[in-house]
Amino acid sequence: MEQIYNVTQSLIPAVAILCIIIISISVIMLMYRAIVGPTNPDRAVALDSIGINLMALAGLMAILLVTTQLNDVVLLIGILLFIGTIAIAKFLEKGVIIERDID
């Protein structure tokens, strides 16, 4: 049983580092799509995906650092990502984010 525990303890950091590398490559490709993207909805989806990848990176860093302090960061990124997605969707649909009726 102790041998399985030792293998697991050495495997988790290696897999987490591999996942960080893969997610970083994904973020770079999504940044390209957000900058070059042919349409605005493509850019919006790319920005949303970048936020999800940032949440994953924060979670992986929490695993590597063996701490629970980064869980708040993951939740904060998720809340801001949701608000940003709603704002971008409203902008793409109506052309404004905050409507001001000045009569």
Side-chain angles (χ1 to χ4, degrees), residues 26-97:
S26 173
V27 167
I28 291 169
M29 291 190 299
L30 285 167
M31 286 176 62
Y32 173 78
R33 178 55 55 202
I35 294 170
V36 176
T39 62
N40 284 334
D42 289 332
R43 291 183 176 101
V45 169
L47 289 174
D48 198 34
S49 299
I50 287 171
I52 291 169
N53 284 335
L54 289 177
M55 289 174 61
L57 284 173
L60 287 169
M61 288 305 297
I63 290 171
L64 279 178
L65 298 175
V66 190
T67 183
T68 59
Q69 300 298 320
L70 291 175
N71 292 343
D72 297 337
V73 173
V74 173
L75 291 174
L76 181 65
I77 292 172
I79 291 169
L80 292 175
L81 182 65
F82 175 73
I83 293 170
T85 302
I86 297 298
I88 289 173
K90 187 172 181 184
F91 177 76
L92 290 176
E93 182 180 339
K94 294 185 178 181
V96 295
I97 296 174

Side-chain angles (χ1 to χ4, degrees), residues 11-27 53-54 56-61 63-64:
L11 191 63
I12 289 176
V15 171
I17 290 172
L18 179 67
C19 289
I20 287 174
I21 292 169
I22 292 171
I23 290 174
S24 299
I25 293 169
S26 173
V27 167
N53 284 335
L54 289 177
L57 284 173
L60 287 169
M61 288 305 297
I63 290 171
L64 279 178

